[in-house]
Amino acid sequence: MGVCFIPFLVLSGCSDRSFVRNEKVKVMVERSHDYYVEHPIQEVNKGEDITFHVNFFTPAEVTYVSYENHEILNVTNTGFDLLLKDIQYSFIVNMEVSKQGLRYYGNGGLNKAGKEMVFSPIHNYHLRENSLNAYSIFHKEGYLPLGWNTSSDGSGTFVSFGSRIPQGVSSLYAMWIKESAPSDFEVTQAGSQLEIKKYLGDKTEVVIPSYINGKRVTSIGANSFISSTLKRVVLGKNILSIKDNAFFETSLEEVYLCDGIVQMDPFSFPSTVKKIHINAVDLPCFSGTYYDTFPDKIDYLDMIKDQKKIVLFSGSSTRYGYDSRLIEEAYPDYAVSNMGVFAYVNIKPQLDVITHFMKEGDILLSSPEFDNHCLENQFGTNNEFEWNLFAFFESNYDLLDYIDVSSYPSFFSSLSTFLNERSLMSKRDYSILAKQFDDDENRYSFDTYDIEGDLILPREGNPTDTHIMQPLDEYTLNTITPELVNCLNDVYQSLLDKKLNVLFTFSPKNRNCLKPNTTIEQRNIVEQYLHDHLIVPVISNWSDLILPGTSFYKIDNHLSTQAAIERTRQVISDLSFYIQD
């Protein structure tokens, strides 16, 4: 009798599914490196419609949808709405797309055939295409190509040569800048080439000519711009050498240069420089390395920048340590991005870039490594810009635009080291992808990274519960000092000022590689100190992340596949206190 009159209360628990009203079904749109789907898993009542918003990584058109009863609506260069009608069961949708090409316009310059447009196919090596080098395509007498722009009048987005092209863009226009007059320079000759010996002008902007009197200008001499009024300088691809103090005693604020420089004195530029733009005129050298995952991860972060998101951040313990899709399933209102790369470089420049793609209310889950040899970098105690950080940016130098160079006194000395190192390395190609390799550059026939940035290479745990390879570490207040915690708080405060939600969790560690004085009691003291003194919530218990050696793969803080899943499930539980439905 109760069944007939209160069906929503009684029938919802009935084992006979034929009586259930509003039966729920789930639909998932399969992921692809050609497009990104906002909220790819949706649940609706049986018989209802679902709409998915699909974003193209590069211009394309849909050629196939596996679910027949569909419509494609609101089509633009950047994406479309996929309407699936009358959903009767749970299923996965597959799509195929046809990639379009890119058009490069000389915008006043011409190619060798006298044409002002060059068509290039889209390769889709990465989520966003790397732009071509205008020096190899167009020429305009008396001008240097400064970069590309998405608008012919320069009002759009600027793209340096070799950097990643914005989503949905199908045309790029060369931006030209007039060379400074040859009479503004005193030069010396070395063989058939010239060196700038002294700047004779009084301009605030200088564009170094490619040639003077028919001879190639390849070097900027020592002290050549001393005491000038210079604010901006543009160096073209012919410049191979910049000597000591070339621009040092100036008020220079902005620099354009090319990565073909083979010799640059560490003291070439002053500390007043705030912005640097690097055009790639050489092939990359770090393609396929784990450094090269950073721009790929930023590509994905750019795709989801307008969504609510959880960003996972620290060094390699993060890229080995999570299953982002489990977090997305647990918290479907959030997209998840894994930005972990390498623990032995300063976190500040990375966060300068990462937070550019985050919005108010997004969550940054920070889990700094406590290894003694990387504490200063992970806790942000210095302003170093290590030379290998440039390897993070090599396949998208435009990411440097989000960094105030003057905040890092070592920036130009590290750039000098990077350029010198590159000049000695073998050249690779943008088609050599980090997702095809492991950390030791062994190549695989399948992806080792997924689109969220997790390392998905299958990883068996160490066969025995032992120390694997890293030096023994001390986790006490002797090493994790109040000074370190204060510096980390300064970093966190800068993120809180951007209205981001910052949460702290511990990074995993093999229990067998801790020094004898790192007792449970000492760890508890450190953990309590962090709870009491960090300005952001500590969401986890350290004991959950000090794990047996069998949980790790090759290194004492790189989790095995199964351990990463277990750690993720624990983090999902820890996050439940801070993410409300």
Side-chain angles (χ1 to χ4, degrees):
M1 185 169 61
V3 170
C4 296
F5 292 102
I6 44 176
F8 288 105
L9 293 179
V10 177
L11 291 183
S12 61
C14 184
S15 60
D16 185 353
R17 300 296 290 174
S18 64
F19 291 99
V20 176
R21 299 186 182 183
N22 296 328
E23 182 180 349
K24 296 288 187 180
V25 292
K26 282 187 177 181
V27 176
M28 174 181 174
V29 178
E30 191 173 57
R31 299 164 195 259
S32 167
H33 287 285
D34 297 322
Y35 55 81
Y36 165 72
V37 185
E38 296 180 13
H39 306 299
I41 303 173
Q42 294 190 39
E43 184 177 72
V44 295
N45 293 322
K46 187 174 181 180
E48 293 182 345
D49 301 341
I50 303 179
T51 299
F52 294 89
H53 185 68
V54 182
N55 296 292
F56 292 130
F57 292 133
T58 49
E61 61 180 355
V62 181
T63 57
Y64 170 75
V65 178
S66 61
Y67 184 74
E68 290 187 4
N69 192 7
H70 74 272
E71 286 187 32
I72 294 174
L73 307 171
N74 305 319
V75 179
T76 68
N77 270 348
T78 60
F80 62 95
D81 290 325
L82 176 65
L83 173 63
L84 306 179
K85 299 179 179 180
D86 190 25
I87 306 300
Q88 296 294 325
Y89 49 86
S90 297
F91 59 93
I92 297 174
V93 179
N94 298 301
M95 292 192 298
E96 295 177 4
V97 302
S98 174
K99 305 164 192 173
Q100 300 173 13
L102 287 162
R103 289 172 172 79
Y104 292 86
Y105 290 91
N107 206 23
L110 300 174
N111 69 3
K112 291 180 179 179
K115 296 183 179 180
E116 61 178 14
M117 191 276 285
V118 170
F119 180 84
S120 177
I122 291 176
H123 300 100
N124 275 42
Y125 299 137
H126 305 278
L127 299 185
R128 292 188 291 169
E129 195 82 357
N130 289 87
S131 70
L132 298 181
N133 167 18
Y135 281 103
S136 65
I137 306 174
F138 297 115
H139 175 74
K140 184 178 180 180
E141 189 65 32
Y143 289 79
L144 287 185
L146 196 63
W148 302 109
N149 201 283
T150 56
S151 298
S152 60
D153 62 359
S155 62
T157 301
F158 182 85
V159 181
S160 299
F161 309 148
S163 287
R164 303 284 170 89
I165 300 169
Q167 175 190 1
V169 169
S170 57
S171 299
L172 287 174
Y173 301 85
M175 293 289 106
W176 302 94
I177 188 165
K178 188 172 178 57
E179 295 177 340
S180 298
S183 59
D184 285 345
F185 306 96
E186 180 182 332
V187 298
T188 58
Q189 187 167 343
S192 61
Q193 301 174 355
L194 299 180
E195 178 178 289
I196 301 295
K197 182 178 180 181
K198 187 176 182 180
Y199 177 59
L200 305 174
D202 59 359
K203 305 291 193 303
T204 59
E205 177 179 275
V206 172
V207 182
I208 305 297
S210 296
Y211 294 85
I212 293 179
N213 297 327
K215 292 185 171 54
R216 194 157 63 114
V217 179
T218 60
S219 180
I220 309 296
N223 302 305
S224 52
F225 284 81
I226 191 167
S227 301
S228 72
T229 59
L230 195 59
K231 294 291 185 183
R232 181 166 89 148
V233 66
V234 180
L235 308 175
K237 76 175 183 68
N238 283 357
I239 300 300
L240 303 178
S241 171
I242 305 174
K243 297 187 177 177
D244 60 302
N245 295 322
F247 300 97
F248 198 72
E249 293 186 32
T250 67
S251 298
L252 192 61
E253 296 177 355
E254 189 172 21
V255 176
Y256 289 78
L257 53 77
C258 298
D259 68 354
I261 295 170
V262 296
Q263 182 182 9
M264 189 176 91
D265 187 84
F267 301 102
S268 300
F269 292 94
S271 60
T272 54
V273 175
K274 292 183 177 294
K275 291 295 178 185
I276 186 168
H277 313 277
I278 302 179
N279 275 317
V281 295
D282 272 352
L283 289 171
C285 297
F286 290 93
S287 294
T289 68
Y290 54 80
Y291 295 134
D292 199 36
T293 62
F294 187 79
D296 286 346
K297 290 170 183 246
I298 289 293
D299 279 355
Y300 179 67
L301 195 56
D302 179 57
M303 296 299 118
I304 62 173
K305 63 179 180 292
D306 295 326
Q307 293 190 65
K308 290 171 63 176
K309 67 188 74 67
I310 299 170
V311 176
L312 312 171
F313 178 71
S314 71
S316 59
S317 70
T318 284
R319 62 188 172 93
Y320 275 83
Y322 290 100
D323 186 324
S324 293
R325 296 187 184 182
L326 288 180
I327 302 175
E328 289 181 334
E329 290 174 10
Y331 302 107
D333 289 341
Y334 289 84
V336 178
S337 170
N338 185 330
M339 288 303 306
V341 178
F342 185 57
Y344 306 114
V345 291
N346 192 349
I347 63 172
K348 293 179 184 177
Q350 298 175 70
L351 289 170
D352 287 343
V353 176
I354 290 168
T355 56
H356 175 81
F357 299 91
M358 299 179 70
K359 62 186 181 67
E360 181 177 342
D362 284 348
I363 296 170
L364 186 127
L365 184 57
S366 172
S367 53
E369 281 94 342
F370 283 67
D371 300 1
N372 298 161
H373 45 301
C374 65
L375 276 172
E376 289 189 354
N377 283 319
Q378 285 293 297
F379 279 72
T381 64
N382 61 56
N383 288 322
E384 292 297 311
F385 199 104
E386 295 85 354
W387 78 267
N388 47 1
L389 259 173
F390 286 100
F392 281 46
F393 303 108
E394 187 194 40
S395 72
N396 191 5
Y397 287 125
D398 278 348
L399 297 180
L400 293 168
D401 288 353
Y402 308 127
I403 295 172
D404 181 353
V405 172
S406 65
S407 299
Y408 303 99
S410 64
F411 184 90
F412 281 103
S413 61
S414 294
L415 176 58
S416 171
T417 301
F418 170 73
L419 293 173
N420 292 341
E421 290 286 335
R422 284 184 84 255
S423 70
L424 302 173
M425 294 176 67
S426 299
K427 299 297 186 281
R428 297 189 177 186
D429 191 86
Y430 295 122
S431 65
I432 301 174
L433 309 180
K435 68 181 181 180
Q436 297 172 337
F437 296 86
D438 63 15
D439 285 3
D440 299 317
E441 297 193 37
N442 298 307
R443 193 163 194 158
Y444 293 83
S445 60
F446 53 85
D447 286 355
T448 61
Y449 286 89
D450 62 18
I451 196 170
E452 289 87 354
D454 297 335
L455 182 70
I456 55 172
L457 180 73
R459 310 182 300 280
E460 292 292 333
N462 195 49
T464 57
D465 182 12
T466 57
H467 172 222
I468 302 174
M469 67 168 289
Q470 287 184 308
L472 297 183
D473 284 303
E474 179 182 341
Y475 287 0
T476 72
L477 287 181
N478 292 328
T479 54
I480 303 159
T481 63
E483 290 76 17
L484 282 174
V485 174
N486 289 338
C487 288
L488 188 57
N489 276 335
D490 289 342
V491 173
Y492 287 160
Q493 186 59 58
S494 69
L495 305 180
L496 295 174
D497 289 344
K498 296 179 181 180
K499 299 184 178 180
L500 303 177
N501 293 322
V502 183
L503 302 173
F504 177 100
T505 187
F506 292 94
S507 58
K509 191 69 174 180
N510 185 344
R511 66 188 178 189
N512 300 292
C513 67
L514 299 179
K515 290 183 177 179
N517 63 338
T518 304
T519 61
I520 293 176
E521 292 74 20
Q522 287 296 319
R523 291 207 315 265
N524 288 341
I525 291 171
V526 175
E527 180 171 1
Q528 189 59 51
Y529 187 87
L530 293 172
H531 274 280
D532 293 341
H533 291 87
L534 282 177
I535 62 173
V536 302
V538 177
I539 70 170
S540 59
N541 297 316
W542 209 349
S543 57
D544 294 332
L545 278 305
I546 304 296
L547 301 171
T550 51
S551 298
F552 295 90
Y553 172 79
K554 290 189 176 182
I555 293 178
D556 295 292
N557 60 3
H558 289 178
L559 291 177
S560 68
T561 299
Q562 184 58 39
I565 291 172
E566 293 168 2
R567 188 259 185 109
T568 301
R569 288 173 176 157
Q570 181 62 56
V571 165
I572 288 170
S573 175
D574 295 337
L575 284 170
S576 65
F577 296 98
Y578 300 91
I579 298 179
Q580 305 299 320
D581 293 334

